[in-house]
Amino acid sequence: MITVKNVSHAFRIGKKGKEKKIDVLKDIDFKVNDGEIVSIVGKSGSGKSTFLHMLASFMKPDRGEIHVNGVEIASFNEVKSAKFRLENFGFIFQNFQLMPGLNTFENIELPLKLQGMDQAKRKEKVERMMKEIGLDHVADHYPNELSGGQQQRVSIARALITDPPIILADEPTGSLDSETEQDVLLLIQTLNRKRGISFVMITHDDEVARIADRVYTMHDGYLTEGAAQYAI
């Protein structure tokens, strides 16, 4: 599903010729199997988000390989990366990243429009998804009319609507209260079991990490399998 080999990356700051190199990712090996939930825990600034961006091909590593479904993606140009993301990944964000001018139906529908699916098929698929996720009663509501939990459900439905094999989640419950967090985590587990979708989640939250099949810890740019006391 996902195999990462010897990935390293550094940021460079300062004027050209006087640049300072800051190592962010250091010789990372990582694997996600079909149908797994994998959590990556670590303190802010440890490199978690940078690594997630690498997996999604938003950023390119300085060195190493990233294979997704047997395809090496680290060498893709922007056009190939965008097409690959649309076909293989769904994304869940801490701050939901819904389009404020679109209602629930339209936000969920957006990836299908980007794929070029015809209107009748989009309508059928979105309506089926809203019913499955429990959003059919707020189909015409705009993001500012929804609770935090409802907005995250819209975000999850949008991530799922293209039937991606992999969901990448960045602090998926970070903006939710504890009760709503449990609802969202249960939904993620249900979707994982029902659809066989692989989830890669970065988190500071023990509750989120606990639902994973495996946990990795990011610390000072190094990624190791297993949880650690200093991680969260």
Side-chain angles (χ1 to χ4, degrees):
M1 179 61 69
I2 299 177
T3 304
V4 175
K5 298 179 180 178
N6 301 318
V7 160
S8 295
H9 190 71
F11 293 137
R12 291 163 178 82
I13 60 173
K15 294 181 180 180
K16 190 174 182 179
K18 297 183 179 179
E19 294 175 321
K20 181 179 179 182
K21 181 182 174 184
I22 302 174
D23 292 318
V24 181
L25 302 177
K26 304 171 184 176
D27 298 317
I28 286 178
D29 293 320
F30 176 74
K31 187 173 183 179
V32 179
N33 299 311
D34 288 354
E36 266 193 319
I37 299 177
V38 175
S39 288
I40 301 173
V41 300
K43 295 180 179 178
S44 296
S46 62
K48 302 189 308 298
S49 293
T50 299
F51 182 58
L52 201 71
H53 291 162
M54 296 282 176
L55 295 181
S57 197
F58 285 121
M59 298 173 63
K60 309 299 179 189
D62 292 335
R63 185 173 68 253
E65 299 178 3
I66 301 174
H67 296 261
V68 179
N69 291 330
V71 179
E72 207 292 307
I73 67 171
S75 59
F76 279 3
N77 61 29
E78 290 186 14
V79 174
K80 282 187 175 181
S81 292
K83 184 175 186 297
F84 192 84
R85 277 194 297 272
L86 194 58
E87 294 172 348
N88 291 274
F89 293 115
F91 298 91
I92 303 172
F93 304 97
Q94 177 179 351
N95 59 355
F96 318 130
Q97 293 197 14
L98 302 178
M99 302 294 288
L102 301 181
N103 62 28
T104 294
F105 181 98
E106 293 164 339
N107 265 289
I108 298 170
E109 178 191 36
L110 187 58
L112 299 179
K113 295 181 77 171
L114 293 174
Q115 284 189 338
M117 184 179 289
D118 70 68
Q119 185 175 8
K121 288 182 179 178
R122 293 199 311 263
K123 184 175 186 294
E124 179 184 358
K125 193 165 189 179
V126 174
E127 287 178 346
R128 188 167 62 246
M129 177 63 70
M130 288 192 301
K131 186 173 182 180
E132 179 180 357
I133 303 297
L135 293 167
D136 45 327
H137 64 297
V138 291
D140 59 351
H141 288 46
Y142 289 86
N144 65 356
E145 300 172 321
L146 301 173
S147 68
Q150 288 172 328
Q151 289 185 66
Q152 193 59 296
R153 282 177 176 265
V154 175
S155 177
I156 292 170
R158 181 184 59 190
L160 292 168
I161 197 63
T162 59
D163 299 311
I166 304 164
I167 300 290
L168 302 180
D170 186 353
E171 299 286 0
T173 62
S175 297
L176 306 177
D177 60 53
S178 58
E179 182 176 350
T180 308
E181 175 185 73
Q182 291 302 314
D183 290 341
V184 169
L185 292 179
L186 179 59
L187 177 59
I188 288 172
Q189 290 175 293
T190 301
L191 291 167
N192 169 255
R193 290 193 297 266
K194 186 176 179 181
R195 292 173 172 243
I197 299 169
S198 297
F199 284 80
V200 180
M201 304 186 296
I202 62 173
T203 184
H204 290 91
D205 192 329
D206 283 322
E207 292 298 320
V208 177
R210 196 169 288 126
I211 74 167
D213 299 302
R214 289 187 297 123
V215 177
Y216 282 82
T217 296
M218 183 76 76
H219 181 65
D220 290 341
Y222 292 101
L223 188 66
T224 55
E225 188 168 353
Q229 292 298 318
Y230 55 71
I232 297 177

